[in-house]
Amino acid sequence: LPRSHNTRPENIHFVCCSDKVSPIDLGRPIAQELTMLETEGISVFDALHQEMVLVLAPLRCIICDNP
């Protein structure tokens, strides 16, 4: 994304937060799912074509802010 689009509401996705769990423990399952999405893909239903399809999503960049 161009830098000017980083803070647009449609480009911001809240994933998780906790005051009782460490960032490492929060991030590990998220990283595992993103890795699986990139390497193995997930099967989803395509409503337009009325069939199951495999979605692969290579991860290019994650911008995080942890105050």
Side-chain angles (χ1 to χ4, degrees), residues 13-17 26 30:
H13 304 284
F14 180 78
V15 178
C16 64
C17 72
L26 284 174
I30 296 167

Side-chain angles (χ1 to χ4, degrees), residues 33-44:
E33 287 187 12
L34 289 172
T35 300
M36 187 182 76
L37 183 61
E38 184 173 18
T39 59
E40 300 171 28
I42 57 170
S43 293
V44 297

Side-chain angles (χ1 to χ4, degrees), residues 3-64:
R3 208 147 174 69
S4 61
H5 293 200
N6 285 350
T7 56
R8 287 188 179 175
E10 63 269 20
N11 295 326
I12 297 174
H13 304 284
F14 180 78
V15 178
C16 64
C17 72
S18 174
D19 61 346
K20 304 203 184 323
V21 179
S22 75
I24 297 294
D25 291 334
L26 284 174
R28 186 171 290 120
I30 296 167
Q32 289 170 345
E33 287 187 12
L34 289 172
T35 300
M36 187 182 76
L37 183 61
E38 184 173 18
T39 59
E40 300 171 28
I42 57 170
S43 293
V44 297
F45 183 73
D46 182 344
L48 180 65
H49 296 101
Q50 296 292 307
E51 63 183 353
M52 295 299 289
V53 296
L54 181 65
V55 174
L56 294 168
L59 184 61
R60 299 290 180 229
C61 178
I62 295 179
I63 298 173
C64 300

